[in-house]
Amino acid sequence: TLRNRIVEIFEQYEQGELFFSIIGGGATGVETAGQMAEFFQKTMRPLYKHIDFSKIHITLLHNASRLLPYLKGVLAIYPAEAC
């Protein structure tokens, strides 16, 4: 699973920048990015105190001008600002 692979990466991580890329700014991509960020903060940070979490980045790649393009107004803007 994705979770197991992330744990493997953290086990092998030593130093430097660590990048995770998610393709797609629809509901699934935005939800995945949010869940990963929460997983890193709530689960991984307490277990891996030696890791500088400011050097871990989640990038959401999307080929449209905004995330969640099917939503209108504020609902579409909020996820972009949260990222």
Side-chain angles (χ1 to χ4, degrees):
T1 67
L2 179 58
R3 181 183 177 120
N4 291 341
R5 182 65 183 123
I6 289 171
V7 171
E8 281 179 29
I9 290 168
F10 272 80
E11 289 291 332
Q12 298 170 2
Y13 177 78
E14 292 184 20
Q15 65 179 0
E17 303 285 322
L18 185 58
F19 295 90
F20 293 90
S21 297
I22 299 167
I23 310 298
T28 302
V30 171
E31 180 68 19
T32 300
Q35 289 295 316
M36 284 178 68
E38 185 176 331
F39 178 64
F40 292 165
Q41 292 298 317
K42 292 184 177 179
T43 303
M44 302 304 277
R45 186 183 288 264
L47 297 173
Y48 296 90
K49 296 180 189 287
H50 66 283
I51 293 177
D52 179 0
F53 279 78
S54 69
K55 294 187 178 191
I56 297 175
H57 310 279
I58 301 170
T59 303
L60 192 54
L61 304 170
H62 189 58
N63 68 346
S65 60
R66 62 190 180 133
L67 300 175
L68 302 170
Y70 50 84
L71 295 179
K72 305 294 182 214
V74 176
L75 292 175
I77 294 169
Y78 175 75
E81 290 176 351
C83 293

